[in-house]
Amino acid sequence: MEKTIDRTAPAKPFLKWAGGKGQLIEAFSRFYPEELKTGKIIHYYEPFIGGGAVFFDVAQQFGIKSATLYDINEELVLVYRVIQNDVDSLILVLEDFKKKYEKLNDEKRTEYYYRVRDSFNVEKGKINFAAYSKKWVQRAAQIIFLNRTCFNGLFRFNSKGEFNVPQGKYKNPKILDEQNLQKVSEILQIAEIKRADFSEIENDFREKAFVYFDPPYRPISKTSGFTAYSSNSFGDTEQIRLAELFSKLNKKGAKLMLSNSDPKNTDTEDNFFDDLYKSYFIYRIPAKRMINSNANKRHAINEIVVTNYRAE
């Protein structure tokens, strides 16, 4: 039977993602380059794809012909590629997870969650992340299940590369969103998805392109450093290396946009990004951080947006 997909709602990120830009899309869209809005830009690059909120917005609003999406996190790239290539099989496995989980009481749900988490960690050594295979479908389903049922939707790994987030207490977690997965799969057909360091874009870059950088946040305080989405740290050295790439792509004619936390939220004398991107346009916009476990501390703070063109 032919599938019918509801077109009235746009595709949205399929993972909960700390630092995801879903709630900032309306504000961010004001900073997109005019050439994107007029159809002169046809290629899109995003070297830190994460939850993909900006990509999904751009791909659905504008007439881009291709997208190249990167992330260093092999698990994240795996699930994107499964949705792109085998979404129907993924939906079947997620449906099985959903049915089994929903019929359990709270105690049995906890047991089930940790059983899946343990299996996910044990099986990692058997996955060849360099070669697509049917094994990827089960793993992608585990990733989505764990993301939807773990504490606060975190995507965190310890130094051994093990997923270590405890269970969240949700009564009705959205384990399967079939309509959205189908729409995401359709959109991803224009994309090349690569596990790579952000610098790989320099080798892939084509003209008439818009590049959006959403690197791991620079911590806004000494205790808020949450960058463990993969086993690769992202400190000031990497931020400086990224700024150097920003300048290289600027010289190649790319339209560039970058976002990050604003260190001035906690230290008005911290000019790290102001100095790093002093040759470009720097904007500050309010953002409500959702990563704090204490809802009372999820207050509005500024994020910075850097562009190599005048925006707004």
Side-chain angles (χ1 to χ4, degrees):
M1 187 171 65
E2 185 178 349
K3 299 183 183 72
T4 57
I5 299 177
D6 180 8
R7 305 291 177 188
T8 60
K12 60 184 185 296
F14 54 87
L15 291 175
K16 296 180 180 180
W17 195 259
K21 297 301 181 288
Q23 295 188 4
L24 287 170
I25 286 299
E26 185 176 347
F28 271 28
S29 64
R30 301 199 307 268
F31 297 95
Y32 294 161
E34 190 63 28
E35 291 87 345
L36 181 66
K37 301 171 185 177
T38 58
K40 293 179 181 178
I41 287 176
I42 57 175
H43 303 301
Y44 177 83
Y45 295 86
E46 188 165 343
F48 306 89
I49 185 60
V54 172
F55 162 67
F56 292 124
D57 185 53
V58 168
Q60 291 174 96
Q61 279 205 66
F62 310 107
I64 59 171
K65 304 298 182 185
S66 74
T68 310
L69 313 174
Y70 314 76
D71 207 279
I72 199 64
N73 188 311
E74 58 195 5
E75 305 283 6
L76 182 63
V77 170
L78 179 147
V79 71
Y80 267 96
R81 290 187 61 194
V82 168
I83 293 173
Q84 181 188 50
N85 294 299
D86 206 354
V87 71
D88 291 335
S89 297
L90 174 63
I91 287 169
L92 288 175
V93 180
L94 281 171
E95 190 170 24
D96 186 57
F97 275 122
K98 178 178 181 291
K99 287 178 179 178
K100 288 178 179 176
Y101 194 76
E102 286 182 347
K103 69 181 182 181
L104 301 175
N105 61 30
D106 289 347
E107 182 180 351
K108 293 296 182 182
R109 282 187 174 190
T110 298
E111 292 176 6
Y112 187 82
Y113 172 85
Y114 287 105
R115 195 158 62 245
V116 172
R117 194 183 78 168
D118 289 345
S119 173
F120 177 80
N121 288 330
V122 167
E123 292 295 316
K124 182 176 182 123
K126 301 176 184 178
I127 299 293
N128 182 354
F129 290 95
Y132 190 93
S133 74
K134 287 295 182 182
K135 288 184 179 179
W136 284 26
V137 175
Q138 178 70 21
R139 193 159 189 86
Q142 289 177 327
I143 290 170
I144 292 175
F145 169 78
L146 291 170
N147 177 258
R148 290 289 169 175
T149 56
C150 74
F151 174 74
N152 233 22
L154 298 181
F155 199 77
R156 185 183 65 202
F157 297 83
N158 62 22
S159 59
K160 297 178 182 178
E162 298 171 331
F163 185 78
N164 65 348
V165 183
Q167 181 197 24
K169 300 299 182 183
Y170 306 106
K171 290 188 176 181
N172 297 296
K174 189 81 170 181
I175 295 169
L176 173 60
D177 188 342
E178 181 174 355
Q179 288 279 325
N180 188 58
L181 286 174
Q182 292 284 2
K183 285 186 281 189
V184 167
S185 181
E186 287 188 3
I187 293 167
L188 288 175
Q189 298 313 304
I190 68 166
E192 182 179 6
I193 305 164
K194 304 174 72 172
R195 179 180 181 250
D197 180 79
F198 63 84
S199 61
E200 181 72 13
I201 186 177
E202 195 174 0
N203 299 323
D204 297 337
F205 181 76
R206 288 180 284 179
E207 294 181 346
K208 297 183 179 179
F210 174 42
V211 184
Y212 170 58
F213 295 100
D214 183 24
Y217 283 138
R218 185 169 188 259
I220 57 175
S221 72
K222 293 181 180 179
T223 60
S224 69
F226 186 84
T227 58
Y229 304 113
S230 71
S231 57
N232 299 276
S233 62
F234 203 93
D236 283 358
T237 300
E238 286 72 30
Q239 298 285 1
I240 293 168
R241 189 162 64 92
L242 177 57
E244 291 170 350
L245 175 64
F246 194 98
S247 293
K248 289 179 182 178
L249 294 178
N250 176 59
K251 292 176 182 176
K252 290 187 177 184
K255 295 299 180 180
L256 306 170
M257 175 176 161
L258 175 145
S259 60
N260 211 308
S261 59
D262 183 3
K264 289 183 178 293
N265 286 305
T266 54
D267 182 359
T268 57
E269 301 301 314
D270 191 334
N271 295 312
F272 180 78
F273 287 121
D274 295 81
D275 291 339
L276 203 55
Y277 292 100
K278 61 184 178 182
S279 299
Y280 305 101
F281 299 95
I282 300 176
Y283 306 91
R284 286 175 163 85
I285 60 174
K288 190 175 184 180
R289 289 283 176 84
M290 298 307 292
I291 193 171
N292 200 306
S293 59
N294 185 339
N296 293 326
K297 294 183 180 180
R298 295 173 185 167
H299 57 281
I301 58 177
N302 284 337
E303 290 219 359
I304 64 163
V305 173
V306 180
T307 62
N308 67 339
Y309 50 87
R310 188 175 297 280
E312 294 191 294

